[in-house]
């Protein structure tokens, strides 16, 4: 079956621009997560959705970052006024139920801010 | 707060030898523990998890891990390494229900190099 997909695979933008990153989770998975992975580090949590609502957004670094999941399936991570420090691989994951199930990760979007 | 430590940046092992990748964790309650593997230019792939029950859990590709509560460890092991096991391995922890976050906290990763 289809796994988690993310688009685009690569995104190059200029400092100050706005970007949107899309995640399409595995069909039927109610939980969706965004993580950010910088070079040489493990993924760091950004935000978690249960259904349409953001159940935990404590990992978002500042108010330039925002994410939505309006129909409980596809999610979009939005970054305003990008900065060079935002450059990283943005990973999306989904799971059936939040508690004990493993998270299935997408291939990531590599964001480069020039 | 929950945290994970992977004390070795890199582990080198000869093909056919046993391998161990170390992981220790810290949570305020009881943990759920996970191992993931990352191949170049690919997403994280789930290997195995400890939820409850038997402390020795078996996962994909012949990997296993042992949960040790007293040492707060969850080391990844394989009896006989393959060159194709060479990749980046991440340990992750989630605190059991009571923590509303449900997020995974990852270690910094350990690069496994298996030489022919």
């Amino acid at each position: 079956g289809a796994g988690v997909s993310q688009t685009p695979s690569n995104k190059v933008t200029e400092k100050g621009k706005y970007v949107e990153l899309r995640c399409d989770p595995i069909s039927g998975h109610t939980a969706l997560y965004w993580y950010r992975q910088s070079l040489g580090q493990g993924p760091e949590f950004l935000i978690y959705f249960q259904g349409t609502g953001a159940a935990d957004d404590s990992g978002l670094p500042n108010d330039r970052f925002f994410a939505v999941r309006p129909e409980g399936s596809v999610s979009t991570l939005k970054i305003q006024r990008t900065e060079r420090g935002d450059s990283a691989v943005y990973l999306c994951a989904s799971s059936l139920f939040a508690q004990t199930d493993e998270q299935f990760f997408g291939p990531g979007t590599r964001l480069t801010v020039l | 707060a929950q945290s994970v430590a992977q004390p070795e940046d890199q582990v080198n092992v000869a093909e056919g030898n046993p391998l161990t990748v170390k992981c220790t964790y810290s949570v305020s309650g009881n943990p759920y523990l996970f191992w993931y593997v990352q191949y170049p230019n690919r997403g994280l792939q789930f290997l195995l998890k400890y939820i409850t029950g038997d402390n020795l859990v078996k996962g994909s590709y012949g990997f296993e891990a042992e949960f040790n509560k007293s040492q707060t460890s969850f080391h990844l092991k394989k009896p006989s390494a393959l060159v194709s096991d060479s990749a980046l391995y991440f340990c992750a922890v989630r605190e059991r229900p009571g923590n509303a976050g449900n997020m995974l906290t990852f270690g910094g990763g350990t690069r496994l190099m298996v030489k022919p």
Side-chain angles (χ1 to χ4, degrees):
Chain A
V4 178
S5 62
Q6 293 185 246
T7 55
S9 56
N10 281 282
K11 176 70 176 179
V12 180
T13 190
E14 295 179 343
K15 180 175 178 296
K17 299 291 188 181
Y18 168 83
V19 297
E20 289 189 352
L21 312 179
R22 175 189 168 108
C23 171
D24 206 332
I26 293 172
S27 178
H29 280 193
T30 61
L32 185 146
Y33 307 79
W34 284 98
Y35 294 83
R36 178 167 71 173
Q37 186 176 21
S38 299
L39 192 64
Q41 298 181 20
E44 293 179 322
F45 169 77
L46 294 176
I47 187 170
Y48 152 60
F49 289 89
Q50 183 62 46
T52 60
D56 183 354
D57 64 358
S58 62
L60 295 177
N62 51 60
D63 61 6
R64 295 186 298 104
F65 289 75
F66 188 71
V68 296
R69 195 186 185 198
E71 298 179 355
S73 178
V74 171
S75 176
T76 303
L77 178 66
K78 307 179 180 190
I79 310 174
Q80 298 177 325
R81 304 183 304 280
T82 52
E83 300 177 357
R84 293 192 179 88
D86 298 335
S87 297
V89 176
Y90 289 80
L91 298 170
C92 177
S94 69
S95 66
L96 265 176
F97 300 106
Q99 298 299 334
T100 61
D101 290 317
E102 58 271 27
Q103 296 175 19
F104 293 87
F105 283 79
T109 294
R110 183 176 298 277
L111 175 66
T112 303
V113 182
L114 301 177
Chain B
Q2 52 196 38
S3 65
V4 175
Q6 293 182 242
E8 303 153 315
D9 290 337
Q10 183 162 316
V11 170
N12 297 309
V13 64
E15 187 174 33
N17 284 359
L19 69 88
T20 299
V21 182
K22 296 179 180 178
C23 170
T24 59
Y25 66 90
S26 175
V27 295
S28 55
N30 290 315
Y32 295 142
L33 293 156
F34 302 81
W35 275 101
Y36 285 83
V37 59
Q38 188 173 40
Y39 295 98
N41 300 315
R42 295 177 64 178
L44 291 161
Q45 295 180 30
F46 169 76
L47 278 180
L48 51 79
K49 65 181 178 182
Y50 171 80
I51 302 299
T52 188
D54 194 347
N55 289 343
L56 183 65
V57 293
K58 295 184 182 297
S60 306
Y61 312 119
F63 284 93
E64 58 188 29
E66 186 166 11
F67 170 62
N68 187 317
K69 187 173 183 178
S70 64
Q71 296 185 6
T72 62
S73 67
F74 190 56
H75 300 331
L76 181 70
K77 300 181 180 184
K78 187 173 182 181
S80 178
L82 300 173
V83 172
S84 58
D85 293 331
S86 299
L88 194 55
Y89 290 80
F90 290 96
C91 181
V93 68
R94 176 197 295 152
E95 191 173 341
R96 289 193 182 187
N99 173 5
N102 291 312
M103 65 185 189
L104 287 175
T105 297
F106 285 85
T110 298
R111 184 165 301 282
L112 175 65
M113 297 289 291
V114 182
K115 298 181 179 179

